[in-house]
Amino acid sequence: MSATTRRTFTFSMLAMLAACGAPQQQPSKFQRYSGPPVTQVSINKGQRRMHLLSGKTVVRSYDVSLGNQPLGHKQFEGDGKTPEGIYFVDRFNPRSRYHLSVGVSYPNPQDKAFAEAHGRKPGGDIFIHGRGPEGNNLFPRQRDWTAGCIAVTDEEIEEIYAMLQPGTPIVIYP
């Protein structure tokens, strides 16, 4: 075997070995959505259900987990409650520790005024998010486990993340 043939054979074998040992690419957590536009997110805390609506038509529905103190409207930082009222999608976090997350515009001006009148902070950083490792370890033992957010499965937040747009209204009912 000539030196050129040996070299070609060696490089061919190395290429095959590298291909065999290459890690498989993980599926992307970012999906595409081509259905009807979502015009509102409706969350019923009592039923632990979230509906994505296009007009008056429910496009998708999900079971949700809430803040670890699920009764009542969020008023203060650290109260563990999920807000109630009308808010909007205000941001997207692709690097969330809860897989993916969609920001809820809490606190609104009324929430801020109420907390200030009581000498407290209203809190913030409320999201619709996946479970991530932390939530997967707690659920289903602890149904409501967030610090005031709305949680769905990691697979569901991938779908929701693709369907929502900035400014979409979020209505949270008691």
Side-chain angles (χ1 to χ4, degrees), residues 3-159:
T4 305
T5 305
R6 269 196 307 263
R7 201 171 338 175
T8 303
F9 177 76
T10 302
F11 284 123
S12 297
M13 292 306 292
L14 287 172
M16 284 190 337
L17 287 172
C20 290
Q24 292 199 356
Q25 192 171 1
Q26 294 291 328
S28 174
K29 62 183 176 180
F30 301 104
Q31 297 182 12
R32 291 187 185 267
Y33 175 69
S34 59
V38 174
T39 58
Q40 181 179 313
V41 177
S42 174
I43 300 166
N44 185 307
K45 288 172 53 176
Q47 294 176 353
R48 305 294 193 285
R49 288 293 281 172
M50 176 170 62
H51 305 285
L52 303 187
L53 304 163
S54 182
K56 293 183 180 187
T57 303
V58 175
V59 178
R60 298 277 195 287
S61 294
Y62 307 91
D63 290 325
V64 299
S65 295
L66 302 171
N68 57 32
Q69 299 296 319
L71 297 178
H73 172 56
K74 181 167 194 61
Q75 297 176 322
F76 308 115
E77 182 176 61
D79 65 10
K81 295 182 179 185
T82 300
E84 296 170 359
I86 299 172
Y87 300 95
F88 300 90
V89 171
D90 67 352
R91 61 203 182 278
F92 292 83
N93 183 0
R95 293 182 184 90
S96 171
R97 73 188 242 199
Y98 301 104
H99 195 63
L100 291 170
S101 58
V102 176
V104 176
S105 64
Y106 176 89
N108 63 27
Q110 295 85 0
D111 298 320
K112 289 177 188 176
F114 181 86
E116 265 182 35
H118 289 83
R120 309 267 307 267
K121 294 180 182 179
D125 282 339
I126 301 298
F127 288 87
I128 300 168
H129 60 67
R131 291 187 189 145
E134 182 180 337
N136 283 326
N137 286 334
L138 293 170
F139 190 87
R141 273 189 338 269
Q142 191 171 339
R143 170 84 194 219
D144 296 316
W145 56 271
T146 77
C149 296
I150 299 101
V152 294
T153 69
D154 291 348
E155 294 78 20
E156 290 168 339
I157 193 59
E158 289 178 7
E159 184 175 73

